[in-house]
Amino acid sequence: MRCAVPDSAAAMDWPRQIFEVLKAYEVRQVAHVPDAGHAALIRMCEADPAIRTVTLTTEEEGVALLTGAYLGGQRGCLLMQSSGTGNTINMLSLVKHCRIPFLAIVTMRGEWGEFNPWQVPMGLGTRPALEALGIAVHDVREPGAVKDAVEAAAKLAFNSFQQCAVTISQRVLGAKAFKD
Amino acid sequence: MATLERRAAVRAILANRADTLVVTGLGGTCWDVAAAGDSPNTFYLWGAMGAAAMTGLGIALAQPGRRVVVVTGDGELLMGLGSLATIAVQKPENLAIAVIDNELFAETGRQPTHTGAGVNLDKVAAAVGFRDAMVARDEAGLAKAVTMLRTAPGPVLAVLKVDAEKKPLVMPPRDGAYLKDRFREALLGTAAIA
């Protein structure tokens, strides 16, 4: 199944590449508050019977869910938008202090070519906020770099018991078009 | 109105717990569960307020063959109220939530929580789609709640209205990495911490 994302061939591939990394690392619980940038990946996860896809009401629920998943013997991944990263901050103390392997993939708003000024503060704050909690952040600014970044973060999380986030720029996603 | 003695209520919920997996909230319920007897099958939260119910869900989804009981406070659950909706949508048959409800933020100076002002967490759970929810205020109610929490198909939630007295501080281990490792070792074997 190919996901229909417009633009270049590389842009068409990257959600599938993330999904393949999640499968290779035996991720079994995928938690998300939806973002347009994650739509294709969420559909792939929902279509996979080996993955439990959990829609959240707010992103900090996902940090706690994945802590429970790991306690129960399963690996997880949290998909969210940059704005949602702000919702997770205190909850990240759970994965940080307990040394729970933690992988988050963050689609960015409020940076490259943003139209909506309300997105900008958290767009600017995503990396510093995560780093303030001791989360390793890998930034991705081109489609061809997505797979390597997600794989490196998965290795750091699951092999080295670290807490990692990959941020995917609007340069990859395309800035949201405010048009009908 | 009548209330239950909280330590006795928590002891009743966890009596003969065998391989039941337990998650606590921070503060009072952490001390209550420790006072009922420490176990590697308990994961205590000392922080991350609002995390207890969702941590229970993650365990329940990963371990569908094991009963998971979350023992948390009214203030802790109020901070993660949306969790109840998320749990109801996932329909974990093995997950139960006990709310030890003293209607106070007891750890921070006994300020009143919303549950003393008309917010009924059992009705919230029922409204979002929990399979069953109830409130217990006396011994007969406690007996019914214990049966529900330990055996009824989930997700279920029981609110236990408890006294507001300060209890002796009984602290479990507080190193989260240790608590995580011993929980995983007990559940999954030594390979889980290799």
Side-chain angles (χ1 to χ4, degrees):
Chain A
M1 183 181 76
R2 284 263 159 174
C3 56
V5 176
D7 303 330
S8 69
M12 185 177 266
D13 278 347
W14 68 262
R16 164 67 56 184
Q17 290 171 346
I18 294 176
F19 178 73
E20 286 170 359
V21 172
L22 299 184
K23 292 298 289 178
Y25 284 83
E26 299 176 358
V27 166
R28 299 289 307 281
Q29 295 191 31
V30 172
H32 69 91
V33 173
D35 179 55
H38 278 316
L41 177 57
I42 291 167
R43 281 197 297 274
M44 285 181 234
C45 293
E46 286 175 339
D48 188 321
I51 292 178
R52 186 70 167 244
T53 307
V54 178
T55 305
L56 311 166
T57 72
T58 176
E59 291 80 358
E60 63 260 46
E61 288 178 9
V63 181
L65 179 85
L66 300 186
T67 297
Y70 187 70
L71 288 169
Q74 290 188 342
R75 291 173 173 176
C77 179
L78 174 59
L79 310 180
M80 60 184 168
Q81 191 190 83
S82 48
S83 53
T85 304
N87 294 344
T88 67
I89 297 303
N90 182 56
M91 205 60 90
L92 292 172
S93 59
L94 186 57
V95 289
K96 191 70 199 172
H97 169 66
C98 297
R99 219 184 311 120
I100 305 282
F102 176 74
L103 175 63
I105 303 175
V106 181
T107 42
M108 294 300 297
R109 292 290 306 275
E111 31 95 273
W112 190 261
E114 179 64 59
F115 173 83
N116 182 350
W118 295 59
Q119 290 281 355
V120 175
M122 200 58 231
L124 292 168
T126 294
R127 174 185 263 275
L130 289 167
E131 288 184 336
L133 271 288
I135 312 295
V137 181
H138 297 342
D139 287 334
V140 177
R141 296 191 180 82
E142 52 180 295
V146 171
K147 178 174 181 284
D148 281 355
V150 174
E151 186 153 28
K155 284 179 178 170
L156 200 57
F158 300 126
N159 295 340
S160 289
F161 316 118
Q162 298 301 301
Q163 299 74 41
C164 306
V166 177
T167 66
I168 302 177
S169 169
Q170 285 168 295
R171 291 172 79 167
V172 176
L173 305 166
K176 181 175 178 177
F178 280 80
K179 291 177 185 169
D180 287 334
Chain B
M1 223 174 311
T3 56
L4 297 156
E5 197 279 311
R6 65 182 295 151
R7 290 279 160 91
V10 171
R11 272 200 308 276
I13 292 165
L14 301 177
N16 306 311
R17 58 184 279 185
D19 63 359
T20 303
L21 303 172
V22 176
V23 177
T24 79
L26 78 177
T29 55
C30 184
W31 326 139
D32 292 335
V33 172
D38 188 28
S39 164
N41 290 330
T42 299
F43 186 73
Y44 302 93
L45 293 177
W46 280 73
M49 188 166 175
M54 285 301 295
T55 303
L57 177 63
I59 299 171
L61 295 179
Q63 291 288 331
R66 296 286 284 266
R67 188 72 174 184
V68 179
V69 178
V70 174
V71 181
T72 192
D74 44 311
E76 205 274 346
L77 187 59
L78 284 164
M79 189 170 280
L81 207 53
S83 303
L84 295 180
T86 299
I87 288 166
V89 169
Q90 292 298 320
K91 299 180 168 52
E93 293 200 353
N94 56 333
L95 180 62
I97 300 175
V99 186
I100 309 304
D101 181 5
N102 62 0
E103 305 180 354
L104 294 171
F105 293 103
E107 291 289 313
T108 54
R110 304 170 68 78
Q111 300 88 348
T113 67
H114 294 358
T115 59
V119 175
N120 298 308
L121 294 172
D122 57 312
K123 290 182 180 168
V124 174
V128 299
F130 269 51
R131 195 175 285 201
D132 203 359
M134 62 169 287
V135 56
R137 297 179 177 278
D138 56 23
E139 291 304 319
L142 176 62
K144 196 175 155 210
V146 170
T147 301
M148 173 199 272
L149 292 166
R150 295 289 296 276
T151 64
V156 292
L157 180 145
V159 174
L160 294 103
K161 289 288 185 181
V162 299
D163 65 277
E165 276 175 43
K166 191 167 171 57
K167 309 293 175 184
L169 194 55
V170 180
M171 292 194 289
R174 69 179 182 282
D175 180 345
Y178 167 73
L179 291 166
K180 173 258 298 177
D181 283 340
R182 77 170 189 167
F183 186 98
R184 281 171 51 87
E185 184 175 14
L187 177 62
L188 305 164
T190 50
I193 56 166

